[in-house]
Amino acid sequence: MVTLLMDNFTRAFGHGSSNHFYPVLQQAIGVGSAFEGWRPHAEGALYHVLVPLSAPAGHTFHLEADTGAKMPGRNFRVRVELECTCVREQLGNDTVLCFLHHSREELSRKQEPSLLDTLCTGPYLDVEKTAFWLYRLVRADWLLLPQSYHGHLMLLPSSRSCKMQLSEGKDSFVVEVLFGVRHGDSDIYVSSQPTEVRFMPSTTWHETYAVAEANFFRHVARQAPQDSWHCKCLQFLTCAAMGSDFSTYALKTVVMHLLNTSPLSQWGRREFLKRLLDIVDYLRCSLDKKRLDHFVIGNQRLPGEISLPPDLQRVEPPNLFQHLARDPDAHREVVQVYIKLQHK
């Protein structure tokens, strides 16, 4: 239902923006626990989708490392550059006037403004301006969608994404639409996803591995027997850890490592308790070593269908428990949380 909704929105956006130079919205990709099959019940009806953006005609996107961003992880800026379209113009294959080689007067008279003049701050694509533009599109195109005949749409506040609540009778769900730019032909994107950092520059885009991780779970679903309970294992443990300071992402990372290194035939219903114990044991060893390798970055054993940029394939995997190695008090607290989880 969420995928169909986003496909309908994307088609509606495409019909209304053919004469404008805004980012081109590609097919939405479902990410996060709901689409990976293990959503904790406490999350309710919340869905995350990532909508890839490509450059409009006469423009190109270039990713630049944002070394000035004082935030954890890898951060980028999306530089927007104009490209010459004179050849296409001369061949009659393109109605776009070349932004580089026509006068400003002619361009302003015959053509809509370039992306640099609408959604950019300086030469960089602005996350907050793009989110506001997307909000306006959703509001304008909602009545064109089949879902509007029997549902109600409410837009929710968010500066770096587009959040919407859809209601039909007593049922409702929330969709958070993130948008991003792809690293080449890989499964890695720079994304508008909000972070815990309060003051994040509007031209900073955070690298996300959510699409690669969702694709990994889809790969496992295709390869595993029909009675596989790997998602139930993860769902059970994340629900047991709910309310504690223990990271859900750490549990997910442990499960992904085990799924990638153990036979998928051993994740059936009968092995449920054994696999739970394997996960808890792996977690204990990681806490003892104060090291838990990131699943995607630097992983040489990823399935071949999951594509990484060359620089992410060759690096040493980041340690998700690095903060525990630096802070003995934090390590002691997490160990106590782990002991409670083990008892549960």
Side-chain angles (χ1 to χ4, degrees):
M1 182 169 57
V2 173
T3 304
L4 179 62
L5 172 71
M6 293 310 303
D7 286 346
N8 288 341
F9 263 128
T10 303
R11 281 194 289 271
F13 297 159
H15 290 315
S17 60
S18 56
N19 296 323
H20 298 81
F21 298 95
Y22 289 109
V24 180
L25 278 62
Q26 306 298 322
Q27 186 174 20
I29 305 168
V31 296
S33 60
F35 288 94
E36 292 167 353
W38 59 273
R39 179 177 62 194
H41 297 302
E43 285 190 1
L46 172 64
Y47 299 87
H48 292 96
V49 296
L50 186 141
V51 176
L53 306 177
S54 58
H59 300 71
T60 58
F61 287 161
H62 300 280
L63 299 185
E64 293 182 358
D66 189 357
T67 55
K70 305 298 184 184
M71 288 167 290
R74 287 162 45 107
N75 300 286
F76 291 80
R77 292 185 293 183
V78 180
R79 175 182 281 275
V80 178
E81 295 183 356
L82 300 175
E83 64 176 357
C84 178
T85 57
C86 291
V87 173
R88 282 183 286 174
E89 193 178 326
Q90 292 165 5
L91 293 174
N93 295 334
D94 205 330
T95 58
V96 177
L97 298 180
C98 179
F99 282 106
L100 292 175
H101 299 113
H102 283 274
S103 68
R104 278 188 171 272
E105 292 76 14
E106 185 179 10
L107 289 170
S108 62
R109 193 170 62 249
K110 297 182 179 179
Q111 195 159 270
E112 294 293 328
S114 77
L115 180 58
L116 285 167
D117 296 323
T118 54
L119 302 185
C120 291
T121 295
Y124 299 109
L125 188 61
D126 190 294
V127 174
E128 295 180 10
K129 291 179 183 179
T130 306
F132 183 66
W133 164 71
L134 198 55
Y135 265 115
R136 286 185 297 162
L137 284 180
V138 169
R139 186 182 293 114
D141 290 342
W142 166 245
L143 293 179
L144 302 177
L145 271 57
Q147 287 88 347
S148 67
Y149 300 140
H150 48 79
H152 173 71
L153 174 74
M154 180 189 301
L155 294 174
L156 305 176
S158 177
S159 63
R160 294 183 64 90
S161 63
C162 181
K163 269 187 174 180
M164 60 187 90
Q165 180 176 356
L166 287 101
S167 306
E168 183 178 347
K170 294 182 179 180
D171 298 325
S172 68
F173 60 92
V174 174
V175 180
E176 182 169 21
V177 182
L178 309 168
F179 40 92
V181 177
R182 192 177 184 183
H183 274 283
D185 296 326
S186 74
D187 291 324
I188 307 301
Y189 291 77
V190 297
S191 162
S192 66
Q193 184 162 4
T195 67
E196 295 79 15
V197 179
R198 181 174 297 180
F199 300 108
M200 189 171 186
S202 62
T203 55
T204 296
W205 299 66
H206 196 66
E207 189 170 67
T208 177
Y209 317 102
V211 172
E213 291 167 0
N215 286 343
F216 174 74
F217 275 94
R218 293 182 183 110
H219 164 82
V220 170
R222 289 191 296 268
Q223 301 295 324
Q226 287 187 342
D227 68 340
S228 179
W229 274 39
H230 62 279
C231 285
K232 288 185 173 61
C233 284
L234 183 50
Q235 186 180 53
F236 179 87
L237 285 168
T238 52
C239 288
M242 198 68 67
S244 71
D245 293 333
F246 212 92
S247 165
T248 298
Y249 191 71
L251 290 172
K252 174 183 170 180
T253 299
V254 168
V255 171
M256 289 191 292
H257 278 301
L258 287 171
L259 285 170
N260 201 39
T261 54
S262 60
L264 294 177
S265 59
Q266 296 179 5
W267 287 81
R269 178 176 180 175
R270 292 183 179 181
E271 293 85 16
F272 181 65
L273 182 57
K274 291 180 181 179
R275 297 295 79 80
L276 284 179
L277 293 173
D278 286 346
I279 297 168
V280 172
D281 285 345
Y282 193 109
L283 190 57
R284 178 182 55 78
C285 292
S286 299
L287 286 172
D288 288 344
K289 294 185 294 185
K290 301 177 185 176
R291 180 166 191 89
L292 176 61
D293 285 343
H294 194 281
F295 179 70
V296 174
I297 302 176
N299 189 345
Q300 301 294 323
R301 303 185 64 175
L302 281 177
E305 63 202 71
I306 297 176
S307 174
L308 300 184
D311 65 319
L312 284 187
Q313 292 175 336
R314 295 188 292 264
V315 298
E316 181 180 350
N319 178 14
L320 300 184
F321 284 170
Q322 182 63 42
H323 63 292
L324 302 181
R326 292 195 301 260
D327 188 343
D329 291 336
H331 181 254
R332 279 192 293 271
E333 289 177 11
V334 171
V335 169
Q336 292 304 311
V337 173
Y338 165 80
I339 292 171
K340 293 177 183 178
L341 177 63
Q342 188 181 37
H343 284 308
K344 282 186 180 181

